[in-house]
């Protein structure tokens, strides 16, 4: 079952990459690529390496806050394992499963592991949402058919709603609401809802227990994401583009918010299509598809292969075919 899914994924990625390049190249593409500066490839690798290192550092800080310990190698396995299963499943569900597997493999109790995984996701999304108002105030061409005023209002409303929800959960006011909703649905779904709510509340309480640690994790998360997204401006520089760093990074942040909730495996198709839409006027004529595929290669596919290696090394080939794996993935 797993290997069939892997083959389907590889075919899907191959077809999407081919189509993105095929439908965006023109007579200018080859000339532009001939003048490409190889140093930007090294810069892209370096930025990804820094981003992954900071992601691992963030993980160790969270585990330290929880009162547990993890080695650098174990942290690396968690980070790369996240990329592995995230690319096989919609949204970030598979990545969460992979992180739990590797954290348990590192002898982190399942309760704390669950909370740590939730915190990692919440902090990343929080950083992206906090950046949104600044992006929309400085970039008029994010989505041409929706005014920036509307997008700005929605983003501020979302940030406010999340802040209110966090306060309600920490203070305990939302507990009765969660119980009330759980009673109105089926028993099975109600238990799942309460379990989901308790896990998220524990994650928020963990962060609230260490404000200094929370700030440190938030800053490291932001720096990690910025380093990972810097692949794109480095590639554009290699193509001779005089880029606006704030504009490019802003659009990368905007795009990646949607990828967290993508219904396709690893955001395949949506990532490339969104990139073409947002960077068609920034990349040199005929190269936006090539840059989109190159970005995915550096930021997703290479870490995916490393995560695949760590999964095989840690759990063995037989693990990938176990029924438990099928259910959790």
């Amino acid at each position: 079952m797993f290997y069939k899914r892997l083959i389907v994924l590889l075919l899907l990625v191959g077809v999407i990459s081919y189509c993105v390049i095929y439908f965006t190249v023109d007579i200018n593409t080859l000339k532009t690529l001939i003048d490409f500066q190889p140093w930007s490839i090294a810069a892209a690798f370096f930025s990804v390496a820094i981003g992954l290192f900071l992601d691992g550092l963030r993980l160790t800080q969270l585990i330290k806050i929880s009162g547990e310990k993890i080695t650098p190698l174990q942290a690396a396995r968690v980070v790369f394992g996240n990329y592995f299963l995230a690319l096989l499943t919609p949204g970030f569900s598979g990545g969460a499963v992979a992180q739990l597997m590797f954290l348990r493999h590192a002898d982190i109790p399942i309760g704390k592991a669950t909370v740590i995984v939730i915190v990692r996701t919440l902090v990343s999304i929080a950083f992206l949402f906090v950046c949104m108002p600044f992006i929309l105030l400085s970039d008029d061409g994010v989505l041409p058919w929706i005014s920036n005023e509307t997008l700005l209002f929605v983003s501020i409303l979302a940030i406010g709603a999340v802040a209110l929800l966090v306060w309600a959960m920490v203070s305990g006011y939302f507990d009765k609401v969660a119980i009330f909703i759980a009673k109105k649905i089926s028993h099975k779904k109600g238990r799942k809802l309460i379990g989901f709510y308790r896990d998220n509340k524990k994650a928020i309480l963990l962060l609230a227990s260490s404000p200094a640690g929370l700030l440190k994790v938030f800053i490291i998360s932001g720096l990690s994401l910025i380093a990972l997204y810097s692949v794109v401006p480095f590639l554009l520089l290699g193509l001779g583009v005089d880029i606006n760093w704030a504009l490019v990074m802003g659009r990368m942040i905007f795009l990646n918010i949607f990828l967290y909730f993508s219904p396709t495996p690893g955001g395949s198709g949506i990532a490339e299509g969104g990139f073409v839409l947002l960077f068609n006027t920034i990349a040199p004529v005929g190269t936006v598809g090539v840059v989109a595929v190159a970005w995915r290669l550096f930021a997703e596919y290479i870490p995916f292969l490393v995560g695949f290696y760590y999964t095989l090394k840690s759990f063995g080939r037989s693990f990938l075919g176990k029924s438990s794996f099928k259910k959790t993935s």
Side-chain angles (χ1 to χ4, degrees):
M1 180 67 180
F2 167 77
Y3 291 104
K4 288 181 179 179
R5 179 180 294 182
L6 181 61
I7 292 172
V8 170
L9 171 69
L10 295 176
L11 289 174
L12 177 66
V13 169
V15 170
I16 290 174
S17 300
Y18 172 80
C19 291
V20 168
I21 293 175
Y22 179 80
F23 288 107
T24 56
V25 297
D26 60 21
I27 195 171
N28 300 296
T29 305
L30 182 59
K31 181 181 179 181
T32 304
L33 293 179
I34 289 175
D35 296 329
F36 181 75
Q37 300 296 316
W39 64 263
S40 68
I41 295 178
F45 269 117
F46 180 74
S47 65
V48 170
I50 293 297
L52 294 172
F53 169 78
L54 291 173
D55 196 5
L57 180 61
R58 171 181 65 164
L59 175 64
T60 58
Q61 290 297 318
L62 284 173
I63 291 176
K64 183 178 179 181
I65 292 174
S66 72
E68 301 292 333
K69 294 181 180 180
I70 193 171
T71 67
L73 178 58
Q74 290 171 330
R77 289 172 177 168
V78 175
V79 170
F80 284 109
N82 174 45
Y83 279 89
F84 172 55
L85 275 189
L87 199 60
L88 292 174
T89 54
F92 51 84
S93 57
V97 172
Q99 292 177 68
L100 283 174
M101 292 190 320
F102 280 100
L103 285 171
R104 286 295 298 120
H105 195 254
D107 296 325
I108 304 296
I110 186 63
K112 289 186 177 180
T114 302
V115 171
I116 289 167
V117 171
I118 293 173
V119 169
R120 275 169 53 82
T121 304
L122 291 178
V123 172
S124 294
I125 295 176
F127 174 80
L128 298 180
F129 269 107
V130 167
C131 290
M132 279 303 300
F134 302 100
I135 294 168
L136 295 171
L137 287 172
S138 60
D139 186 356
D140 295 327
V142 178
L143 290 180
W145 56 86
I146 303 178
S147 68
N148 274 27
E149 289 76 14
T150 301
L151 290 172
L152 181 61
F153 173 77
V154 172
S155 64
I156 293 176
L157 186 65
I159 293 172
V162 171
L164 180 63
L165 179 61
V166 168
W167 173 81
M169 291 174 70
V170 172
S171 61
Y173 286 115
F174 202 78
D175 293 0
K176 293 182 179 180
V177 176
I179 295 173
F180 175 79
I181 296 174
K183 289 181 178 179
K184 294 297 180 180
I185 57 180
S186 67
H187 180 69
K188 184 178 180 181
K189 291 182 179 179
R191 290 185 62 183
K192 288 183 177 180
L193 174 64
I194 294 299
F196 176 78
Y197 173 75
R198 286 175 177 171
D199 287 341
N200 279 274
K201 183 173 180 177
K202 287 178 182 178
I204 293 171
L205 290 175
L206 173 65
L207 291 173
S209 67
S210 177
L214 168 60
L215 179 60
K216 189 174 183 179
V217 168
F218 185 80
I219 292 173
I220 294 174
S221 296
L223 293 175
S224 173
L225 293 174
I226 289 172
L228 291 170
Y229 300 162
S230 293
V231 169
V232 173
F234 280 130
L235 293 174
L236 292 174
L237 285 171
L239 291 170
V241 180
D242 185 15
I243 65 169
N244 180 331
W245 275 83
L247 179 69
V248 172
M249 296 302 291
R251 294 195 177 188
M252 286 299 296
I253 289 173
F254 185 82
L255 174 59
N256 278 274
I257 285 178
F258 291 98
L259 295 185
Y260 270 98
F261 309 99
S262 167
T264 61
S268 297
I270 293 178
E272 292 84 355
F275 187 94
V276 171
L277 175 66
L278 293 174
F279 290 91
N280 190 45
T281 58
I282 298 176
V285 177
T287 64
V288 65
V290 176
V291 177
V293 173
W295 159 56
R296 293 287 285 175
L297 174 65
F298 282 106
E300 296 290 338
Y301 303 147
I302 293 177
F304 165 83
L305 292 175
V306 178
F308 184 30
Y309 165 77
Y310 275 136
T311 301
L312 289 177
K313 187 175 181 180
S314 299
F315 302 106
R317 290 179 179 271
S318 61
F319 172 80
L320 298 178
K322 288 181 179 180
S323 58
S324 60
F325 174 80
K326 297 173 187 175
K327 292 177 182 179
T328 56
S329 62

